């Protein structure tokens, strides 16, 4: 409701209401219970049985291009007069609404409500529309029946006037279709499109005309399609969704695929029944390329399934739908003089590439060797491309014949495999491959433990790429080492001594050595293919027991080496590998001898003579000379042990170890105490000698001190004599000097006082002169200023008089002179003249004392 005016607001209990123009009130007659409307301008007097329901309210004004909605409007007749019932109560259309446009101000009758205040009518611009929905049946201005639920568009430009039967459900804007664009539309229900064509529900169509397009009320925009730009290097692959007639008038079946190229059109927008599979790039072949097309399209326009077509460059073409490239674009085979290709026939054909032509049967293989160029036909399969393998005299490859299966080693030449040959990979255990690795030094890494299971796993994972098993296996036998090679085909073995290079044949394998290692020794700890001939050492822990049952652990090292007189003697050389684990066998044999020798002696004897006992046990004695030997020989494998080193002897039993430790500690303590006693005696002797030297030095120092004391006393006597004489002399001299100084001080004081008095006198005289000069100067300046002041005042008075005379003029002065005496005095006073003298200019006047009187008052002015 509009706000109340302050000048009409008041209590509704008042009896008199002043209703201004365009205001109204509702009055309830409590007798009849009827509410009536009173409008202004008037002065309304309330009766006792009446009650004013509201203060005066302003009428509702609807300006141009505005509207408002009234709920429960009054009923009007044909003449637009308000209809009343028999009780004079206005009749209302309950639950109805009335939209009122521009009109004169109107009041709200009792029961009417302003549902929507005055609102500006909605202006619909161009290229937009209001989406309207009919809420109740009605007949529009064009006499068309509208049914509830119908939707329609109010298209701009225009001003929309609302109706109570229509509801605005949204806005809709036109879509601008740019060049190379189109709109894909779908009918929601049966409708007529913008071109007047009937559309059924679910039907789709394309709008390709450029410009703004406003979809109809039952049209749904599915998508905005952009045109595919077709060039000489790009085409569009299309698949038909259903059977239809395309833009060229050709009938296309459902599922059919075809290409749209730049020769047909520059841009392509797919129709509603067309699906874009993708863009197809042009396939370009140079003069050094070729390709094979699978399922080529025949003259009827359909793919020939299973067929192949060879295309040689230089050429450009598009792959038709259904066509595929076998292995893509391939380069022609350019073979140099050390290259070749292995070919195989897929089907029977006549090979015209070679002269004379040859008839090839399916499965035939043949080689083409360079230098030449070759493009295989569709009947030919290129199995592989081969190059000649250059081999040094220390290199080789294993070659296997595919016809006979025979394997041979080719060494020291450049070799190319024939059509019935292939590289053969030699099967080598993983542990042997690890031992032959270039990263492993046979001599330096001889103590490393290689785990066979881990090496096999490493082979399965990543060792295949680093190992070419088709190359001849080579091994550099180091210096002072030997390698045994066994040929499983001929059942023979050979031993190679280093330094040398071993090259395995197809049926040869290395003899592996599995040696013991660690302390105490454990079997199969070290794997090797090369046997080092030494000299080297082997260490071991041995537990022995003496005759008095003391268990000891010995740490012993043996120096050993192999000795072969003639390396060309295969029988002698084979002895080196007769014992598979010579280290373990050596240590076991030595341990057995040592345990037997130690078991026959007591712990005390062994502790004192351990080295001798062990050496006798190991090397024994010469049966002829009965002297201890210095080496032992194992004829089974020509092994010599030259020395035994006992590194440590430790009891195994803890009590024995503690007793031994106590005895050793006691021996150390006894040795330490004896050393301490000897040191103590030596210290005492040194102390006595030092004391003697110190006493002698003290006596010598006392003698020197007595001599110095004597000299001191003589010097003190001389000093006392000199001191007494010098004191008297010094006192006399000081008194004389003091008197002289006092006299000089008195004379100097008198002189200074005279000078001070003289200075004071001169200063006083100068001050007085300066004061007099200042007074004189002040008086002169003051007189000078007074003279200047008097001169300036005189000049001022003179100038003033001259100006006054000039201002009065000659005639005025003459008139004054001829006038009465009192008039002359008044006029002179009015001019400011204290005295005046007026003459005719001819009569002489004595002015000797007159000037003094005239100027007498000037000097007295302040």
């Amino acid at each position: 409701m509009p706000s109340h005016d302050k000048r009409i607001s008041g209590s509704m209990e008042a009896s008199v209401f002043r209703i201004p123009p365009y205001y109204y009130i509702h009055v309830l007659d409590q007798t009849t219970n009827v509410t009536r409307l009173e409008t202004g301008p008037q002065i309304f007097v309330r009766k006792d049985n009446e009650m004013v329901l509201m203060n005066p309210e302003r009428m509702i004004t609807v300006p141009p291009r505005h509207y408002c909605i009234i709920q429960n409007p009054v009923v009007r007749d044909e003449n637009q007069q308000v209809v009343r019932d028999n009780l004079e109560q206005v009749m209302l259309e309950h639950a109805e609404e009335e939209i009122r446009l521009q009109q004169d101000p109107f009041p709200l009758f009792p029961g009417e409500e302003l549902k929507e205040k005055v609102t500006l009518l909605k202006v619909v611009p161009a290229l937009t529309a209001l989406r309207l929905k009919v809420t109740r049946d009605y007949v529009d201005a064009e006499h068309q029946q509208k049914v509830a639920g119908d939707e329609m568009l109010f298209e701009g430009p225009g001003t929309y006037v609302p109706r109570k039967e229509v509801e605005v459900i949204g806005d809709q804007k036109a879509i601008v279709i740019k060049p190379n664009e189109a709109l894909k539309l779908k009918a929601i229900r049966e409708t007529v499109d913008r071109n007047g064509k009937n559309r059924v529900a679910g039907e789709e169509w394309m709008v390709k005309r450029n410009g703004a397009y406003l979809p109809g009320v039952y049209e749904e925009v599915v998508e905005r399609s952009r045109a595919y730009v077709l060039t000489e290097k790009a085409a569009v692959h299309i698949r038909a969704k259903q059977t239809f007639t395309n833009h060229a008038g050709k009938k296309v079946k459902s599922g059919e695929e075809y290409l749209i190229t730049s020769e047909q059109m520059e841009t392509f927008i797919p129709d509603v029944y067309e699906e874009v599979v993708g863009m197809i790039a042009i396939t370009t072949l140079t003069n050094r390329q070729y390709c094979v097309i699978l399922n080529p399209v025949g003259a009827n326009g359909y793919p020939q399934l299973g067929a192949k077509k060879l295309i040689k460059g230089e050429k450009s073409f598009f792959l038709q739908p259904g066509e595929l490239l076998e292995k893509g674009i391939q380069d022609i085979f350019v073979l140099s003089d050390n290259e070749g290709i292995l070919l195989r026939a897929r089907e029977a054909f006549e090979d015209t590439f070679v002269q004379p032509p040859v008839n090839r049967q399916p499965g035939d293989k043949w080689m083409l060797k360079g230098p030449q160029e070759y493009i295989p036909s569709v009947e030919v399969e290129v199995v592989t491309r081969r190059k000649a393998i250059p081999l040094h005299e220390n290199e080789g490859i294993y070659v296997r014949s595919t016809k006979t299966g025979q394997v041979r080693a080719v060494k020291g030449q450049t070799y190319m495999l024939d059509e019935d040959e292939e590289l053969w990979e030699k099967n080598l255990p993983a542990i042997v491959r690890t031992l032959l690795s270039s990263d492993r030094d046979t001599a330096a890494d001889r103590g490393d433990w290689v785990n066979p299971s881990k090496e096999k796993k490493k082979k399965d994972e990543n060792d295949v790429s680093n190992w070419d098993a088709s190359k001849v296996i080579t091994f550099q036998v180091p210096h002072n080492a030997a390698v045994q090679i066994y040929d499983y085909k001929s059942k023979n073995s050979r031993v190679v001594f280093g330094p040398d290079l071993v090259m395995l044949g197809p049926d040869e394998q290395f003899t592996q050595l599995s040696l013991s290692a660690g302390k105490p020794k454990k079997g199969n700890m070290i794997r090797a293919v090369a046997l080092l001939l030494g000299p080297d050492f082997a260490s071991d822990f041995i537990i022995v027991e003496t005759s008095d049952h003391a268990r000891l652990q010995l740490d012993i090292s043996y120096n050993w080496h192999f000795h072969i007189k003639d390396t060309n003697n295969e029988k002698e050389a084979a002895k080196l590998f007769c014992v598979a684990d010579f280290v373990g066998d050596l240590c076991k044999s030595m341990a057995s001898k040592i345990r037997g020798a130690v078991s026959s002696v007591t712990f005390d004897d062994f502790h004192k003579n351990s080295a001798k006992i062990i050496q006798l046990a190991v090397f024994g004695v010469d049966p002829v000379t009965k002297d201890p030997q210095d080496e032992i020989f194992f004829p089974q494998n020509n092994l010599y042990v030259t020395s035994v080193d006992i590194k440590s002897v430790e009891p195994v039993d803890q009590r024995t170890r503690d007793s031994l430790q106590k005895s050793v500690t006691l021996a150390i303590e006894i040795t330490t105490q004896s050393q301490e006693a000897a040191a103590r005696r030596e210290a005492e002797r040194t102390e006595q000698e030092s004391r003697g030297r110190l006493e002698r030095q003290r006596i010598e120092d006392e003698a020197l001190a007595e001599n110095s004391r004597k000299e001191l006393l003589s010097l003190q006597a001389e000093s006392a004599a000199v001191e007494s004489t010098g004191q008297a002399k010094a006192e006399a001299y000081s008194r004389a000097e003091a008197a002289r100084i006092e006299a000089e001080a008195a004379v100097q004081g008198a002189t200074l006082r005279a000078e001070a008095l003289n200075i004071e006198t001169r200063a006083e005289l100068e001050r007085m002169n300066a004061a007099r000069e200042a007074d004189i100067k002040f008086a002169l300046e003051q007189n000078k200023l007074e003279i200047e002041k008097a001169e300036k005042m005189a000049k001022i008075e003179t100038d003033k008089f001259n100006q006054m005379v000039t201002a009065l003029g000659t005639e005025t002065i003459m008139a004054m002179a001829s006038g009465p005496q009192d008039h002359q005095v008044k006029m002179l006073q009015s001019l400011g003249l204290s005295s005046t003298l007026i003459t005719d200019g001819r009569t002489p006047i004595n002015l000797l004392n007159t000037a003094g009187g005239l100027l007498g008052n000037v000097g007295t002015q302040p």
Side-chain angles (χ1 to χ4, degrees), residues 735-753:
R735 285 194 294 270
E737 188 68 21
R740 185 182 63 78
I741 291 172
E742 289 178 357
E744 290 179 356
V747 173
Q748 188 175 2
T751 305
L752 292 176
R753 284 194 294 273

Side-chain angles (χ1 to χ4, degrees), residues 73-83 91 93 98 100 103 106-107 109 112:
V74 296
V75 179
R76 297 179 184 271
D77 56 12
E78 297 82 4
N79 299 325
Q80 296 299 318
Q81 298 297 321
V82 177
V83 178
M91 300 181 65
E93 296 181 13
E98 180 182 351
R100 298 181 183 179
Q103 56 183 292
F106 61 91
F109 284 90
E112 288 184 334

Side-chain angles (χ1 to χ4, degrees), residues 829-842:
Q829 288 178 353
S830 64
L831 291 174
L833 298 177
S834 58
S835 63
T836 182
L837 179 61
I838 301 174
T839 66
D840 53 3
R842 294 187 297 272

Side-chain angles (χ1 to χ4, degrees), residues 225-262:
S225 301
R226 291 185 176 273
Y228 291 87
V229 179
L230 305 178
T231 63
E232 296 178 354
K233 297 182 179 180
V236 183
H237 183 185
I238 304 299
R239 181 189 297 121
K241 296 181 181 179
Q242 66 183 56
T243 303
F244 74 103
T245 302
N246 63 11
H247 58 279
K250 180 181 177 181
K251 186 177 182 180
V252 181
K253 296 182 179 179
S254 176
E256 185 176 346
E257 298 182 3
Y258 49 92
L259 286 184
I260 304 295
T261 62
S262 60

